[in-house]
Amino acid sequence: MSSHRSTRLPDYAGHSIVNLMQSISTACGSTRAPYRQLEALPAAKLAEARHIVLLVIDGLGQRTLARHPASPNLQGHVIGSMTSVFPSTTASAITTFMTGLAPAQHGLTGWHMHLEEIDQTLAILPLTPRYEPAKLPPQELPPRLFEHQSLFQQLDRECWALAPREISGSPFNAWHSHGARSLAYHSTAEMFSLLSALLLEAGAPRYIYAYYPYLDSYSHSFGTESKQATQELAELDVLFGELQRDVQGTDSWLIATADHGFIDSPPQRVVCLDQHPQLAAMLTRPLCGERRAAYCYVNEDRRLAFESYVRQHLDHCVELHRSSDLIDAGWFGPPPYHPRLASRIGDYTLVMKDDWTIKDWLPGERHYPMLGVHGGISNAEMTVPLIALRV
């Protein structure tokens, strides 16, 4: 069975990034415990050190790390693996890292989301509409759309949040960094330099969260095995090794992991809705979610026809689910559920098989290819490494 064909669902019972965040939050003084702790790294073990650093390397799946021999510093400290959340994508998983909540509770279900509160479909990280003019500017949206606190607001210690300068002050990032002191960095080297300084100068115990996006960007554009992605990972590994040496003796846990992994999807494996006008006509709005897990909103009187069309024409590449069944099956996490979770995932979810993706293009949208993709339930997308060492 190829790695594309083998699938893995999120394991919220002690083996996912949600459980890692429960371990970290408990170790840092939070009294909230809606989830089990991570079996591989329980809170009591983390609490033995003075400081905790969490470095999230966007897109560094377990498979990607294992395939690249030029990453000895990261590979040398892998203590296990975890699952991402569903969908295995940045919008859902980064929100988990920054809130400690599973998607079932934070309610962020993919890149494009239809939001009943403002009756508009947004790209949720930049908070910009997919089509039609914006009804509200991005800076006014967080209090309307996000009912959750950040994780930092719940911790009983000094918190820092590091992000690239392009996103550090964005309305989404600012909301989810409440309770932390934010630092923007200009380069990978500067991010590691800031991490080192924050540990070496620290008086009181610190929790430091750092987000690193560049491996993800190269993997999307050029593919997971590309020279660009491989070189980026090699450079990151060297800097991670230097950080280990620089902060030796600070009594810190250095933890590195990812929000999701990746697969490559060649252009001939893209289902374009332009080629399926009958299907597109049954949708009440454009696709939401991800290319690997697309949410479909379908008129009630067209649902049987919709199911029939998908089974007849797309069975080779699509697993068709009623979206409510995925909630019940625990894909988004355990209950209690966000009050608008169901409305944000449509009537059906198209989970793409093997290395297939699905895409619709709206008039005026810039067509851009995406070789590396994620969001689905293949082992490669869902499994992320757990890298941890105490220095």
Side-chain angles (χ1 to χ4, degrees):
M1 206 182 238
S2 80
S3 56
H4 286 169
R5 291 175 191 277
S6 64
T7 59
R8 188 176 185 190
L9 293 176
D11 183 350
Y12 301 107
H15 304 94
S16 80
I17 61 173
V18 173
N19 307 107
L20 170 65
M21 298 319 296
Q22 182 65 65
S23 288
I24 289 174
S25 64
T26 301
C28 292
S30 172
T31 56
R32 299 184 188 183
Y35 313 101
R36 291 186 192 178
Q37 295 177 20
L38 187 70
E39 285 189 13
L41 209 53
K45 194 169 181 179
L46 290 177
E48 290 169 2
R50 188 165 181 75
H51 309 294
I52 297 174
V53 173
L54 176 63
L55 170 61
V56 175
I57 304 165
D58 196 326
L60 182 64
Q62 173 78 352
R63 185 181 72 151
T64 298
L65 181 62
R67 283 185 172 188
H68 290 289
S71 50
N73 296 303
L74 292 163
Q75 286 193 32
H77 298 285
V78 172
I79 65 166
S81 66
M82 304 177 287
T83 70
S84 183
V85 295
F86 181 79
S88 55
T89 192
T90 304
S92 302
I94 289 295
T95 309
T96 290
F97 285 123
M98 298 185 84
T99 63
L101 300 172
Q105 283 74 52
H106 65 58
L108 301 194
T109 56
W111 178 253
H112 283 126
M113 288 172 52
H114 187 76
L115 299 149
E116 278 183 336
E117 305 93 304
I118 55 170
D119 191 28
Q120 193 155 40
T121 300
L122 301 185
I124 199 66
L125 295 181
L127 290 171
T128 51
R130 180 160 185 211
Y131 52 96
E132 304 171 338
K135 295 184 177 180
L136 286 170
Q139 60 272 22
E140 288 182 26
L141 287 167
R144 295 282 299 273
L145 303 180
F146 307 141
E147 293 161 22
H148 45 257
Q149 279 190 313
S150 81
L151 180 70
F152 310 109
Q153 290 171 288
Q154 304 163 41
L155 304 187
D156 185 24
R157 69 167 62 190
E158 189 182 299
C159 297
W160 293 78
L162 279 59
R165 63 159 190 224
E166 312 88 77
I167 64 165
S168 181
S170 72
F172 179 95
N173 213 60
W175 179 272
H176 289 89
S177 300
H178 278 161
R181 301 182 196 187
S182 291
L183 287 175
Y185 62 83
H186 294 71
S187 66
T188 308
E190 188 185 6
M191 178 188 77
F192 279 103
S193 167
L194 289 169
L195 285 173
S196 179
L198 286 170
L199 290 175
L200 290 168
E201 73 182 24
R206 287 179 166 174
Y207 169 57
I208 305 165
Y209 166 82
Y211 170 67
Y212 168 88
Y214 306 118
L215 180 67
D216 178 84
S217 306
Y218 286 125
S219 300
H220 277 306
S221 300
F222 304 109
T224 58
E225 304 288 320
S226 64
K227 183 181 70 186
Q228 294 91 334
T230 304
Q231 192 174 326
E232 188 65 29
L233 181 55
E235 289 172 13
L236 177 74
D237 188 76
V238 169
L239 290 165
F240 187 76
E242 289 175 6
L243 175 70
Q244 291 169 38
R245 292 187 288 277
D246 290 347
V247 300
Q248 204 66 241
T250 57
D251 193 17
S252 308
W253 273 106
L254 301 182
I255 304 167
T257 188
D259 48 352
H260 56 76
F262 261 95
I263 61 167
D264 289 337
S265 177
Q268 62 270 27
R269 306 284 267 185
V270 180
V271 175
C272 190
L273 273 205
D274 290 350
Q275 298 153 3
H276 297 273
Q278 276 178 273
L279 187 70
M282 298 182 206
L283 302 177
T284 59
R285 59 178 57 99
L287 295 175
C288 289
E290 300 284 333
R291 293 176 184 228
R292 292 277 295 155
Y295 305 128
C296 302
Y297 292 80
V298 183
N299 270 322
E300 205 162 340
D301 59 352
R302 308 296 297 278
R303 287 180 193 166
L304 284 176
F306 176 85
E307 291 179 20
S308 171
Y309 186 95
V310 172
R311 290 196 179 107
Q312 193 174 337
H313 299 280
L314 298 174
D315 189 58
H316 62 289
C317 61
V318 165
E319 220 177 76
L320 175 66
H321 296 274
R322 287 181 181 269
S323 295
S324 58
D325 290 345
L326 300 187
I327 296 178
D328 295 342
W331 286 32
F332 297 95
Y337 304 123
H338 188 286
R340 282 178 289 281
L341 178 63
S343 76
R344 292 176 177 183
I345 58 173
D347 305 297
Y348 295 93
T349 303
L350 306 180
V351 178
M352 306 307 290
K353 296 178 181 177
D354 300 334
D355 54 356
W356 287 89
T357 60
I358 190 164
K359 188 74 185 90
D360 56 352
W361 297 106
L362 304 184
E365 265 188 327
R366 184 174 64 85
H367 284 235
Y368 53 94
M370 199 176 267
L371 181 55
V373 290
H374 53 78
I377 59 169
S378 73
N379 205 31
E381 294 161 278
M382 190 58 74
T383 310
V384 297
L386 175 61
I387 299 155
L389 65 151
R390 193 171 167 187
V391 291

